[in-house]
Each structure stands twice: as structure tokens, then as C-alpha cells.
Amino acid sequence: MNHQPFEQWLFSEEPLSPDQSRALQAHLETCESCRQLSAAWSGVQTLFEEVTPIEPSPGFTIRWRARQKAQLRQERYKKERQQSWITLMVSIAGAVLFLGLMVTQIFATVEMPTQLLFIWIFRVTDFVSMIIAAGDLMVTIMDITFGLVAPVYWAAVAAGLGLLSLLWIFSLHQVFQHRRITP
Amino acid sequence: MTVLQFAGFRENAVQINGTEYLSNALRGDPESFSQLVESYQTAVYNLCYRMLGDPYEAEDAAQETFLRAYKSLRHYDKKRSFSTWLLSIAAHHCIDQLRRRRMTMVPLENLPYQELRDPTPNPEVTLSISEEQQRVRKLLTSLNPTDRAAVVMYYWYDFSYNEIADSLQITLSAVKSRLHRARKELAQLWMEQHSQYSQAERIRHESPAV
């Protein structure tokens, strides 16, 4: 038996014309399977209409607020981490750029890198020579001075300087000592 | 509660809350949005439960729906009904969840079937509420996620075809076709369930009294 268009009409929500309704009714009177299908669909509709809505367990809004706060915290933490990484990357990029500029500047001012090395070696040797000359001068001054002043006076000066140093150390100790504050 | 009454619930919810709380929430008042959660929680939870069939998953999905709605509130089009927009978010999330499900689902037929005690010899059996919910869940589980969403929106929330098409991002003809196919599948499954139920009832009545 051909069940179309009756099956189509059974499950259509569009209102049927009077002729279509009559044809469907006539078909249902003769067709057992379509009659069962129609009854089944009525049963489903009735069940859908009568079933009560399911409600969430009490405290749904409170739980939602807690979940929202947790999510906001997580997002804030993620954002802070991202910002830290960006700051770090920018700093590193800035440092690399600065270093690169410095290197290019240095290389631009000298003809060859070895020339710069020799300049620095000469400067260091000059400095060392200056220190040695200053040392020689101090020795000469001390020789002349020790000849003019008696050793006992030198000893007194040294002892006085020593006592002053001890006093200074003691006073520093007093200043930086941890004090217990009593209520 | 009938479908019509539940549909009325949706209208009442919009009337009560659609003006004051929603306006304040759109202006950035978090407390007003919490009031919207309070007002719409049953509607959203019910949709999620019908879609997912599990109360814990439904709670999780409903909570997630409100979070997403809160985050995208600035994108809400005021010309559209807030409840439609909110329930669309819920439906989309549930469809995604169903598609992501990897664990093996135990067929509902394998779950123990709980019969009601009928102390009177009355052939009319009164179904308990839990029995009704089980039958509804069994029926809806047989549908694919998009068809299920269309059925739930149409029969529980009184969505029009256009609203369903807009929510599920499918064409109007696709909505009509899906609903038509779903109705037939539900009717066929109902017949199978009914014959199983009648057989169980017949066996129970034919068994000797203790």
C-alpha cells in the first residue's frame, strides 16, 4: 500500500485542507500501520506536553558566581603572564638592538678591530707605569720624612691611628646593632 | 506543566526581567546579570538536560552557557529576544558537547527497567514522574544532536521555525525537514517502547500472585 502523502501529512505541522483531512481519515481507517503511527505520534506529543521541566539543584546561582570568579581569576593570571612575557621579549629585543648599535658604532670608528685592541693594551700599560711611578715617589717622600722625624713620634702617630680605627669600628657596631623593641 | 504553560513561562520571564535587569546587565552591572541567571536557570538547565540526558553534564553545560552569555553580552542584539539568544548559546554548547563525547554510551535498553507497583487491578498504569522523564530521555537520545535541539526548542520553548533556523544556523527548509524526520523517528520509537512496555505489563499481570 502507498502511504504517501498520508505519512507526510501525519507529521506535518501545517494545517490540512478539508479534502486532505478527509482523505487522511479514510486512509487511517484502512491502513493499520499508519493508524499505529498516528497513535504513536499522539502519544509522543502528549508525553512532551505533560512532562514537567527539570529544575537544577538549589544554589545554582551561587555556584555560577563562584565559577565566574574562578574564571576571572584565571583570565587575569593568564593576562599577567602574557604581559610579563611581552615585557621580557621587548627588553631582550631592546638590549640586543642597543648592543648591535654599540658594536656597529665601535667598528665604524676604527679601521680594524685589532687597532682598538692595541689602543686598550697601551692604555693599560700606561696606567700600570703611572702606578709604579707613584709608588716610587711615595718611597722617596717617606725616606726624606723618616730622616727628619724621630721614630718614636712615628710610633705614637701609628698607635693613635690604630685607636681611632678601633673607636670607629666600635661606633659602627653600635649603630647597626639590632635593637629589640619592647611594647 | 504542559508545553504551553512552559512556553508561557518563557514569555513571563522575558516580561519580568527583560527590561530592568537586562538593561542594567548591558550597562555592566554584574549583580543584574546574576538576577538574570536566577530567572533563566530552569529554562537553560532544562534545555541542557533534554539535550545531554545527564543531570551533572546539564549543570555544567548550563553554567558554561551563562558564562559565555556574560562574556559576549556586548554582542547581544537588543532587537532579538534575550531568551532566544541565551537558549541558542545553550543549544550550541550542548551540540558541541554531544559531538565531543568519546566515552561509550550504555544503551538505555540495557538499563534496568523500573516497573511501578500497581496495587489495584486497574489496567490504566500511572507513570511516575521519573518514568516519564526516562521515556522522554529515551526518545530524545535516539535523535542526532541537531534534530534533538530542533525538537527541544520547538516543543519545550515554543521557538518558531525562523528562530530555530537562526539559532542552529541552518536554513528554514532544513528545520522543517529535520523536524519532520524527527517526528517520524520518535513515533516509530514510541511504538517499539509501547510494545515492550505492554509485553512487560502482560507478563506482570499473567504471573501468579505471591
Side-chain angles (χ1 to χ4, degrees), chain A residues 3-14 32-72 75, chain B residues 1-4 6 30-31 33-35 37-38 41-42 45-46 49-50 58-67 70-71 127 129 132-133 135-136 139-140 151 154-156 161 176 179-180 182-184 186-188 190-191:
Chain A
H3 300 286
Q4 296 298 342
F6 308 107
E7 217 175 74
Q8 187 80 14
W9 292 344
L10 272 178
F11 300 114
S12 169
E13 293 285 309
E14 305 293 329
E32 174 68 23
S33 68
C34 283
R35 198 162 50 245
Q36 283 179 356
L37 213 54
S38 175
W41 177 235
S42 295
V44 172
Q45 282 182 299
T46 306
L47 178 64
F48 282 1
E49 281 170 14
E50 289 177 353
V51 73
T52 51
I54 301 282
E55 296 198 23
S57 52
F60 181 90
T61 310
I62 295 168
R63 291 193 294 278
W64 179 79
R65 278 202 198 109
R67 190 168 169 151
Q68 187 202 22
K69 277 185 188 154
Q71 198 184 58
L72 282 172
E75 280 172 8
Chain B
M1 189 183 280
T2 65
V3 171
L4 289 175
F6 197 76
E31 187 51 44
F33 194 86
S34 296
Q35 293 297 325
V37 173
E38 190 66 32
Q41 58 177 291
T42 301
Y45 180 83
N46 189 64
Y49 183 80
R50 298 296 171 212
E59 159 96 9
D60 188 64
Q63 296 269 341
E64 184 62 29
T65 297
F66 282 112
L67 280 172
Y70 183 73
K71 268 195 252 185
L127 293 176
I129 292 172
E132 268 187 346
Q133 301 292 357
R135 291 193 80 173
V136 169
L139 287 168
L140 292 176
V151 164
Y154 189 82
Y155 289 102
W156 271 273
Y161 286 149
K176 289 180 182 176
L179 281 174
H180 189 274
R183 287 178 196 125
K184 190 174 175 184
L186 291 169
Q188 284 168 341
W190 177 273
M191 286 198 300

Side-chain angles (χ1 to χ4, degrees), chain A residues 76-88:
Chain A
R76 204 177 310 128
Y77 172 69
K78 198 176 165 185
K79 201 174 173 183
E80 281 168 8
R81 266 184 65 176
Q82 265 176 354
Q83 281 173 347
S84 301
W85 275 110
I86 290 168
T87 307
L88 182 65

Side-chain angles (χ1 to χ4, degrees), chain A residues 17-174:
Chain A
S17 68
D19 287 340
Q20 284 173 334
S21 293
R22 272 196 295 274
L24 178 60
Q25 283 306 317
H27 178 77
L28 290 176
E29 281 167 17
T30 57
C31 178
E32 174 68 23
S33 68
C34 283
R35 198 162 50 245
Q36 283 179 356
L37 213 54
S38 175
W41 177 235
S42 295
V44 172
Q45 282 182 299
T46 306
L47 178 64
F48 282 1
E49 281 170 14
E50 289 177 353
V51 73
T52 51
I54 301 282
E55 296 198 23
S57 52
F60 181 90
T61 310
I62 295 168
R63 291 193 294 278
W64 179 79
R65 278 202 198 109
R67 190 168 169 151
Q68 187 202 22
K69 277 185 188 154
Q71 198 184 58
L72 282 172
R73 255 199 313 271
Q74 206 177 8
E75 280 172 8
R76 204 177 310 128
Y77 172 69
K78 198 176 165 185
K79 201 174 173 183
E80 281 168 8
R81 266 184 65 176
Q82 265 176 354
Q83 281 173 347
S84 301
W85 275 110
I86 290 168
T87 307
L88 182 65
M89 290 295 125
V90 168
S91 303
I92 290 172
V96 165
L97 189 67
F98 179 71
L99 203 65
L101 281 171
M102 283 289 292
V103 167
T104 51
Q105 279 292 322
I106 290 165
F107 274 100
T109 53
V110 298
E111 288 179 13
M112 288 173 66
T114 47
Q115 193 178 357
L116 187 66
L117 184 66
F118 285 138
I119 289 170
W120 279 103
I121 289 170
F122 290 145
R123 283 190 182 171
V124 167
T125 50
D126 281 348
F127 184 71
V128 169
S129 303
M130 191 178 71
I131 297 290
I132 292 169
D136 290 343
L137 182 63
M138 281 304 294
V139 165
T140 308
I141 289 170
M142 281 170 72
D143 282 342
I144 296 167
T145 312
F146 286 148
L148 293 172
V149 179
V152 66
Y153 292 113
W154 283 115
V157 167
L161 284 172
L163 277 170
L164 280 172
S165 302
L166 282 172
L167 194 65
W168 183 59
I169 290 167
F170 177 75
S171 63
L172 275 178
H173 177 71
Q174 288 297 314

Side-chain angles (χ1 to χ4, degrees), chain B:
Chain B
M1 189 183 280
T2 65
V3 171
L4 289 175
Q5 284 174 324
F6 197 76
F9 162 85
R10 190 166 83 109
E11 290 303 315
N12 287 339
V14 171
Q15 281 163 13
I16 290 164
N17 302 298
T19 50
E20 196 181 337
Y21 291 141
L22 183 57
S23 305
N24 291 340
L26 287 168
R27 276 195 285 271
D29 179 19
E31 187 51 44
S32 293
F33 194 86
S34 296
Q35 293 297 325
L36 291 175
V37 173
E38 190 66 32
S39 306
Y40 287 94
Q41 58 177 291
T42 301
V44 172
Y45 180 83
N46 189 64
L47 185 143
C48 294
Y49 183 80
R50 298 296 171 212
M51 287 293 294
L52 301 171
D54 177 78
Y56 300 106
E57 286 189 34
E59 159 96 9
D60 188 64
Q63 296 269 341
E64 184 62 29
T65 297
F66 282 112
L67 280 172
R68 289 182 182 199
Y70 183 73
K71 268 195 252 185
S72 51
L73 203 56
R74 61 182 180 277
H75 301 302
Y76 164 64
D77 183 6
K78 288 178 202 174
K79 285 178 251 176
R80 205 178 164 192
S81 155
F82 180 74
S83 57
T84 306
W85 179 74
L86 186 63
L87 294 168
S88 302
I89 295 173
H92 272 290
H93 179 62
C94 291
I95 289 171
D96 288 342
Q97 289 296 104
L98 286 168
R99 285 176 183 156
R100 242 184 264 133
R101 258 183 195 172
R102 287 170 196 224
M103 57 185 209
T104 309
M105 297 297 291
V106 176
L108 285 174
E109 295 78 30
N110 294 347
L111 291 175
Y113 186 74
Q114 294 175 1
E115 283 191 42
L116 287 175
R117 291 185 183 191
D118 185 16
T120 65
N122 192 338
E124 295 287 330
V125 179
T126 307
L127 293 176
S128 70
I129 292 172
S130 63
E131 189 95 12
E132 268 187 346
Q133 301 292 357
Q134 271 193 31
R135 291 193 80 173
V136 169
R137 190 174 62 157
K138 220 173 187 176
L139 287 168
L140 292 176
T141 310
S142 69
L143 304 173
N144 73 56
T146 309
D147 290 358
R148 198 183 307 179
V151 164
V152 170
M153 285 175 169
Y154 189 82
Y155 289 102
W156 271 273
Y157 297 91
D158 209 27
F159 274 40
S160 65
Y161 286 149
N162 282 321
E163 283 176 329
I164 296 172
D166 192 33
S167 297
L168 299 180
Q169 293 170 340
I170 55 179
T171 61
L172 192 60
S173 57
V175 170
K176 289 180 182 176
S177 163
R178 283 179 178 273
L179 281 174
H180 189 274
R181 182 177 65 212
R183 287 178 196 125
K184 190 174 175 184
E185 281 178 25
L186 291 169
Q188 284 168 341
L189 185 59
W190 177 273
M191 286 198 300
E192 284 171 36
Q193 280 184 354
H194 192 69
S195 68
Q196 283 173 7
Y197 185 79
S198 302
Q199 198 176 6
E201 198 60 25
R202 201 167 39 249
I203 290 168
R204 198 172 66 82
H205 282 301
E206 283 171 3
S207 61
V210 177

